[in-house]
Amino acid sequence: MRVVVAGGAGFLGSHLCDALLERGDRVVCVDNFLTGSPANVGHLADNDDFELIDADVCGELRIDGPVDAVMNLASPASPKDYYALPLETLDVGSTGTRRLLELARSLDATFFMASTSEVYGDPVEHPQTEEYWGHVNPIGERSMYDEAKRFSEALTFTYHRTFDLPIRVVRIFNTYGPRMQPDDGRVVSNFITQALRGEPLTIYGDGSQTRSFCYVDDEIRGFLALLDSDETGPINIGNPGEFTMLELADLVNELTSNTAGLVHRGLPSDDPQQRQPDITRARNLLGWSPHVDLRTGLERTIPYIASVLRD
Ligand code: NAD
Ligand code: UDP
């Protein structure tokens, strides 16, 4: 296959490029480096099956030659990033998604949309199945991200219904691993960075809120299983292992031998209190389930962040 990966120089996108190339596909990576970096795909520069295009997907985008799939991962993803880039986040989730849908349509390609567990907002149903419509504050401080992704899903299904475009929609739950930026503000990168510096870990609120963390290799394997299937989705891809932020902090401090403890900070507004994917659909329809538990995944991530901090 020849696959366009929009947002391919980001954390997840770069791992997706690697996985596609490893299985023999060709990749056209499109990125404007808003939150990603050419360094994430630097190791692919000499690969003849890899092409890097510096472009904003909200603008004109022409890809020469046949394309089998357009995979849309372009968007700021960390709360810190989308708070700093609210209009860019709304633009890429609306205009950017529309441009990429048009690209897929013009090329007779399958369109893959990287959506998010954030479409469930601060969920009152737990765990979250794909049938749940969510509990989102449409004007809240996270709304530029949540609503942009909900709009992307609506656009994607509209193209499917109106033009019969083949689509795949994945709802990604908190994913972590090497190539997360130490300063990206997400909880796993923050905690590891603080612990490696011997600082106390910053717990927002009382730390009783939960997340379910998926290791990047599992997540990408789920993307490919969905891409290769005939399912439109939406399909949750995440690890159902659910942890409070206090539990995560204790584990990071243990694995890094950090004795600086914890410090409490204010809870951001509309911060979801709980999150856990129901992955029955992924198991039954894709034969997918995660393999890497949190301890193992953190043991693989800590050395990466340590190496970036040393450079
Ligand atoms: P990331 O910030 O590392 O990657 C996003 C990439 O998109 C970056 O390389 C950025 O430069 C690029 N980009 C942003 N706007 C663009 C534009 N207008 N044109 C071209 N490129 C643009 O984030 P990530 O964690 O790799 O997330 C990738 C995707 O997965 C995002 O769409 C995100 O919403 C989704 N997602 C991620 C998670 C997670 O836990 N990592 C969870 C849910 C959803
Ligand atoms: N969080 C925290 N300390 C940090 C960063 C985040 O306690 O240094 C909390 C945050 O308030 C949220 C959870 O960790 O409850 C996950 O935050 P993240 O930004 O990683 O992702 P989210 O799931 O909120 O998009």
Side-chain angles (χ1 to χ4, degrees):
M1 293 211 298
R2 184 161 179 254
V3 182
V4 172
V5 180
F11 161 50
L12 291 182
S14 63
H15 284 278
L16 176 61
C17 292
D18 286 347
L20 288 164
L21 291 165
E22 267 162 34
R23 71 182 204 168
D25 294 332
R26 285 178 297 150
V27 172
V28 182
C29 170
V30 182
D31 206 298
N32 65 351
F33 312 120
L34 186 65
T35 55
S37 160
N40 285 333
V41 288
H43 59 289
L44 302 175
D46 295 332
N47 189 322
D48 291 339
D49 291 329
F50 180 77
E51 200 183 324
L52 178 59
I53 298 177
D54 177 354
D56 183 339
V57 297
C58 299
E60 290 289 338
L61 187 61
R62 220 189 80 197
I63 307 284
D64 295 321
V67 168
D68 302 286
V70 174
M71 301 183 75
N72 180 17
L73 279 74
S75 171
S78 164
K80 180 183 163 198
D81 288 338
Y82 58 74
Y83 293 154
L85 300 162
L87 293 172
E88 291 84 347
T89 303
L90 285 161
D91 282 347
V92 75
S94 51
T95 308
T97 298
R98 177 95 194 255
R99 293 261 190 202
L100 291 166
L101 280 160
E102 281 298 334
L103 182 73
R105 191 176 158 221
S106 70
L107 293 167
D108 271 330
T110 296
F111 181 79
F112 178 105
M113 178 66 214
S115 184
T116 170
S117 55
E118 205 76 25
V119 300
Y120 302 123
D122 188 2
V124 292
E125 277 186 23
H126 194 74
Q128 293 78 55
T129 66
E130 293 85 348
E131 281 76 32
Y132 180 47
W133 289 358
H135 180 232
V136 174
N137 178 353
I139 56 164
E141 285 180 19
R142 297 170 86 100
S143 62
M144 78 294 270
Y145 182 69
D146 299 9
E147 295 294 5
K149 288 291 183 181
R150 288 168 70 98
F151 185 73
S152 283
E153 288 201 12
L155 262 183
T156 302
F157 273 87
T158 299
Y159 268 71
H160 177 59
R161 290 190 195 105
T162 309
F163 304 116
D164 218 14
L165 183 75
I167 60 161
R168 313 278 184 267
V169 176
V170 62
R171 291 185 180 152
I172 305 166
F173 283 65
N174 297 64
T175 302
Y176 68 100
R179 293 190 203 142
M180 292 189 95
Q181 292 312 300
D183 60 353
D184 79 1
R186 293 186 256 205
V187 68
V188 172
S189 23
N190 264 13
F191 282 2
I192 294 176
T193 302
Q194 290 159 351
L196 290 170
R197 290 181 171 147
E199 297 167 0
L201 309 195
T202 51
I203 304 282
Y204 299 167
D206 66 6
S208 66
Q209 71 271 35
T210 66
R211 294 294 186 272
S212 302
F213 298 101
C214 190
Y215 188 65
V216 61
D217 291 0
D218 282 333
E219 190 69 41
I220 300 298
R221 195 166 41 77
F223 288 8
L224 296 184
L226 175 58
L227 179 67
D228 293 342
S229 76
D230 293 323
E231 301 296 332
T232 60
I235 292 202
N236 293 337
I237 297 286
N239 190 322
E242 186 183 3
F243 297 84
T244 66
M245 295 311 100
L246 287 173
E247 288 169 333
L248 175 69
D250 285 346
L251 186 53
V252 170
N253 274 338
E254 179 203 321
L255 293 174
T256 54
S257 306
N258 181 35
T259 54
L262 312 175
V263 62
H264 287 266
R265 298 274 182 260
L267 188 68
S269 77
D270 296 331
D271 195 286
Q273 182 56 35
Q274 54 180 358
R275 182 180 290 159
Q276 184 194 39
D278 180 315
I279 60 165
T280 309
R281 264 199 202 177
R283 282 187 203 279
N284 293 346
L285 300 177
L286 307 179
W288 177 89
S289 60
H291 298 333
V292 182
D293 65 20
L294 183 59
R295 176 178 287 269
T296 309
L298 290 174
E299 283 169 350
R300 294 180 191 173
T301 308
I302 290 166
Y304 172 81
I305 293 195
S307 73
V308 177
L309 294 177
R310 270 195 306 273
D311 287 346

